[in-house]
């Protein structure tokens, strides 16, 4: 069965420091991979997505992610974190459930220290 | 503005009192879905709809109903809510479904508390 693992429940970084959020997936074929961000009291906003082609994907707000098939990973990175990046981040893989849903990880809560 | 609108944002109710959470999208999307978000569990799909009058169960459909009488609306119905349905609920939509490489647009969420 398809699954997504985000091993870090909470991460704290200092403003200006680099960030890497981990995501590992299990999927029987070439996956579609997504990173979503959820700010407090808000819905989920798509940061970036990978479908095919270049394995380094650029997203909004200065984020990027790299698809590594050999490691079944799709880690999210940002060179310099801003205080406004504090939020919860979800990795997702799809389509699953016969093409009808995304399977989400359990999320990583990012705290940014000033 | 393209958006998915859920109402209400917050709802407190008591066990057994029927309620409906509304979801509407203005993008002419065919695919709509409901997820619930619980701490440590991520988002889990409740129901989805591929088009008008076409609905199907997701991973956690027990205790929920949906309908899709119009393309833009996809209400979530709890006929007899129970405390284990206390959760944050999200409606999402996409143009033609996830096999077409399209992203999901999410509503702002409905925080439901069942006492």
């Amino acid at each position: 069965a398809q699954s997504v693992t985000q091993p870090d429940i909470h991460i704290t970084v200092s403003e200006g420091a680099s960030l890497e959020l981990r995501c590992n997936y299990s999927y029987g074929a070439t996956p579609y991979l997504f990173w979503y961000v959820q700010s407090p009291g808000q819905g989920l906003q798509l940061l970036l997505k990978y479908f095919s082609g270049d394995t380094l994907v650029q997203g909004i707000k200065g984020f990027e992610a790299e698809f590594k098939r050999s490691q079944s990973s799709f880690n999210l990175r940002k060179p310099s974190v801003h205080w406004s990046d504090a939020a919860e981040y979800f990795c997702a893989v799809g389509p699953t459930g016969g093409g009808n849903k995304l399977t989400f990880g359990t999320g990583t809560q990012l705290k940014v220290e000033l | 503005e393209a958006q998915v609108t859920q109402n209400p944002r917050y709802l407190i109710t008591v066990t057994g009192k029927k309620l409906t959470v509304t979801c509407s999208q203005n993008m002419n999307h065919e695919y709509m879905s409901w997820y619930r978000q619980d701490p440590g569990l991520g988002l889990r799909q409740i129901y989805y709809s591929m088009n008008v009058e076409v609905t199907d169960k997701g991973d956690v459909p027990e205790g929920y109903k949906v309908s899709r009488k119009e393309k833009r609306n996809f209400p979530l119905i709890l006929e007899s809510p129970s405390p284990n349905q206390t959760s944050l609920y999200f409606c999402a939509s996409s143009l033609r479904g996830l096999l077409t490489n399209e992203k999901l647009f999410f509503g702002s969420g409905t925080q439901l508390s069942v006492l």
Side-chain angles (χ1 to χ4, degrees):
Chain A
Q2 302 91 346
S3 65
V4 178
T5 301
Q6 294 181 247
D8 304 305
I9 299 173
H10 300 279
I11 283 185
T12 300
V13 299
S14 299
E15 190 175 36
S18 64
L19 171 70
E20 182 169 27
L21 302 182
R22 296 184 289 167
C23 172
N24 292 96
Y25 66 89
S26 172
Y27 195 79
T30 301
Y32 302 151
L33 294 158
F34 307 80
W35 275 100
Y36 282 85
V37 60
Q38 183 181 29
S39 298
Q42 302 295 317
L44 280 75
Q45 180 184 21
L46 181 67
L47 281 176
L48 49 79
K49 58 187 177 181
Y50 170 80
F51 292 141
S52 64
D54 193 345
T55 56
L56 185 62
V57 180
Q58 301 298 320
I60 62 171
K61 305 185 180 187
F63 285 92
E64 67 178 25
E66 186 170 12
F67 169 56
K68 293 185 178 180
R69 185 188 301 275
S70 62
Q71 299 177 19
S72 297
S73 70
F74 189 57
N75 295 347
L76 182 70
R77 300 193 295 248
K78 187 170 186 179
S80 177
V81 170
H82 188 264
W83 63 266
S84 61
D85 293 324
E88 188 156 23
Y89 292 80
F90 291 92
C91 181
V93 65
T96 55
N100 299 310
K101 68 173 183 175
L102 295 181
T103 296
F104 286 84
T106 52
T108 297
Q109 186 70 49
L110 173 65
K111 180 181 177 182
V112 179
E113 290 182 333
L114 301 177
Chain B
E1 179 187 357
Q3 60 185 358
V4 178
T5 303
Q6 292 179 233
N7 281 296
R9 287 294 305 275
Y10 303 93
L11 179 57
I12 301 174
T13 190
V14 295
T15 299
K17 186 176 182 181
K18 181 179 178 180
L19 66 91
T20 299
V21 183
T22 65
C23 174
S24 179
Q25 48 89 10
N26 62 359
M27 296 170 279
N28 202 35
H29 284 175
E30 293 182 356
Y31 174 90
M32 298 185 75
S33 180
W34 277 102
Y35 284 83
R36 61 177 286 174
Q37 181 183 0
D38 302 288
L41 296 177
L43 282 82
R44 294 176 293 167
Q45 189 186 52
I46 304 171
Y47 269 94
Y48 66 92
S49 170
M50 299 300 291
N51 213 325
V52 175
E53 302 292 2
V54 180
T55 64
D56 211 340
K57 298 177 180 178
D59 293 325
V60 287
E62 295 78 18
Y64 304 95
K65 287 176 57 178
V66 293
S67 69
R68 189 91 181 272
K69 293 183 171 59
E70 305 166 281
K71 200 171 193 177
R72 64 183 294 124
N73 296 323
F74 190 45
L76 180 69
I77 303 157
L78 284 71
E79 295 270 2
S80 182
S82 62
N84 65 12
Q85 292 177 297
T86 292
S87 187
L88 179 59
Y89 291 87
F90 287 101
C91 181
S93 72
S94 73
L95 184 58
R96 287 165 297 176
L98 303 176
L99 285 174
T100 55
N101 306 345
E102 294 161 4
K103 73 173 188 178
L104 280 177
F105 291 81
F106 281 86
S108 298
T110 296
Q111 180 64 59
L112 172 64
S113 295
V114 183
L115 306 178

